[in-house]
Amino acid sequence: MRSSALAVLAACLIPFSSSADSFPVPKIDCEPRAYLCARADQPPSVDGRLDEEAWRHVRWTEDFVDIEGDLRPTPRYRTRAKMLWDAESFYVCAEMEEPELWATYKIRDSVIYHENDFEVFIDPDGDTHEYYELELNALGTVWDLLLIRPYRDGGPAVHAWDIPGLRAAVSLEGTLNDPSDRDAGWTVEIAFPWAALAECAHRAVPPQEGDRWRVNFSRVEWRLKPQTNGYAKMIDPAAGKPYPEDNWVWSPQGLIAMHYPEMWGIVQFTTDDPLSSSAVDVQGDPDDAARWRLRTVYYAMKDAWTRAGGWPASPVEAAAGEPPVEVRLTQTGFEATLPGLGQAGGTWHIDHEGRTWRTQP
């Protein structure tokens, strides 16, 4: 992404340390990756193979990085994704290097991340509430969830909810659950119908030219050892349990937690050809800096609650910094406000549950 008002985000970041008795916050600057999502002339077939003409004319995302960003080593295997849209659906595909293709869960809504998987997160209006999560493994088994709020803010996740009209498929380059050979990898292809995404969008779907959604992708990768009938998770002899999984993502989170939607990537929808010399790049929004300034106050207030078991009697210290933020305690928690920094004006708000919204005078 070219330099823009999004660069202000780093300057607005208040550094926090995170320990067992503090509220976990990202340990990196908020610099979300961005992607210009083209409209497809012909929809992909969603068969797991990425050989359709539609995919050939859009660029890959950057290679995935560790969920903590530069704080952790580069992933062992390459992962990258593409996105498209049309009047019916939002399309995602991904390509993953994988020498050990492994999956056993066949029942929908199993806890898929207990195996190697690919995950998609979508927050249509970017308020960090009411968003979607989809996970699938190399068998094509899916787990789809609707999040009312992030887990840090009390959730809950609606596990019984299914994405109406969802289409998802995988294609394997190798042999599943067979340690006798070395595999090349797998690809996934997913179509999210706008009719389903409209439930949490609170805005027009399909998107309008220039609309920006918050999206991220994650890949869970476990260390495996061969068995006579497949693979098993490698055990850490010191801990007596499996080694922790690796989490590789498109836009880094700065901590081992995907449910911090403010750190997700920015997807801007366009009808132009993103590969043409005249294509408009993803545009920065000055209000991103306002929302991030409020987010730092939210982190500080939540940290005070975590440490002391209650909101500070005077929240002035939590709101220290520029631009100035007004914070008031409410019967249920707190609300912080800041004038918008963009042309749309108005006032931005964040509350103790982490939701952001704008009101007009």
Side-chain angles (χ1 to χ4, degrees):
M1 180 170 42
R2 296 170 190 164
S3 59
S4 66
L6 285 177
V8 179
L9 295 174
C12 290
L13 180 63
I14 296 176
F16 291 98
S17 61
S18 183
S19 63
D21 60 352
S22 62
F23 184 73
V25 301
K27 303 181 187 72
I28 62 173
D29 292 341
C30 182
E31 297 176 329
R33 287 179 162 180
Y35 188 90
L36 197 60
C37 185
R39 179 166 180 143
D41 294 329
Q42 295 292 329
S45 58
V46 190
D47 56 7
R49 295 185 293 273
L50 312 184
D51 52 1
E52 294 96 341
E53 190 69 18
W55 289 125
R56 294 185 187 137
H57 295 286
V58 294
R59 68 177 180 86
W60 290 102
T61 63
E62 303 92 335
D63 289 354
F64 286 21
V65 296
D66 188 89
I67 193 170
E68 296 186 85
D70 292 339
L71 302 177
R72 301 284 295 173
T74 300
R76 300 186 303 280
Y77 311 128
R78 187 185 200 187
T79 310
R80 55 184 183 169
K82 291 183 178 184
M83 288 166 266
L84 282 168
W85 70 282
D86 64 15
E88 302 298 326
S89 299
F90 174 48
Y91 302 95
V92 171
C93 77
E95 176 186 78
M96 290 164 279
E97 292 181 347
E98 177 54 73
E100 299 171 314
L101 288 170
W102 169 62
T104 65
Y105 292 155
K106 299 179 180 179
I107 300 175
R108 185 170 184 147
D109 292 340
S110 299
V111 183
I112 300 298
Y113 69 82
H114 286 170
E115 299 185 336
N116 293 347
D117 78 355
F118 179 75
E119 305 175 357
V120 183
F121 299 82
I122 303 173
D123 181 8
D125 62 0
D127 68 352
T128 77
H129 283 208
E130 296 180 296
Y131 59 87
Y132 307 94
E133 176 181 354
L134 174 74
E135 305 182 8
L136 75 163
N137 64 10
L139 280 167
T141 306
V142 304
W143 182 22
D144 40 5
L145 304 89
L146 173 65
L147 277 294
I148 306 303
R149 293 183 297 274
Y151 295 111
R152 67 188 178 194
D153 300 308
V158 183
H159 297 270
W161 176 83
D162 290 339
I163 300 175
L166 174 74
R167 291 182 290 148
V170 303
S171 179
L172 310 181
E173 191 173 349
T175 52
L176 190 66
N177 302 324
D178 182 359
S180 67
D181 64 358
R182 185 174 179 84
D183 306 309
W186 57 304
T187 53
V188 305
E189 205 171 11
I190 309 165
F192 297 91
W194 295 121
L197 298 180
E199 184 175 1
C200 293
H202 306 297
R203 60 199 306 180
V205 293
Q208 307 297 306
E209 176 73 35
D211 280 358
R212 302 157 79 243
W213 287 29
R214 301 307 293 264
V215 174
N216 213 351
F217 308 114
S218 173
R219 174 183 177 181
V220 170
E221 184 78 7
W222 295 87
R223 300 189 196 183
L224 303 177
K225 64 177 182 179
Q227 303 278 79
T228 55
N229 59 346
Y231 297 99
K233 293 175 184 175
M234 190 177 296
I235 301 298
D236 178 355
K241 60 183 180 181
Y243 286 99
E245 75 279 11
D246 288 308
N247 298 272
W248 302 330
V249 304
W250 171 43
S251 195
Q253 298 286 107
L255 74 173
I256 305 175
M258 282 305 300
H259 293 272
Y260 277 56
E262 64 269 21
M263 301 296 288
W264 295 353
I266 296 171
V267 174
Q268 181 173 307
F269 297 92
T270 183
T271 57
D272 294 332
D273 178 3
L275 298 182
S276 72
S277 59
S278 60
V280 175
D281 202 358
V282 176
Q283 299 300 296
D285 182 350
D287 279 335
D288 286 341
R291 285 192 293 269
W292 185 251
R293 176 74 181 98
L294 289 175
R295 183 64 56 184
T296 64
V297 173
Y298 159 86
Y299 289 153
M301 292 292 287
K302 295 284 276 194
D303 190 61
W305 173 275
T306 302
R307 293 174 184 274
W311 305 116
S314 175
V316 174
E317 183 176 348
E322 292 294 335
V325 173
E326 180 181 343
V327 186
R328 65 180 182 88
L329 299 180
T330 66
Q331 289 186 338
T332 55
F334 71 88
E335 184 176 319
T337 58
L338 176 69
L341 303 179
Q343 294 182 350
T347 300
W348 280 101
H349 306 251
I350 196 169
D351 63 15
H352 60 282
E353 292 184 332
R355 186 175 73 91
T356 58
W357 71 97
R358 178 168 54 194
T359 57
Q360 296 293 343

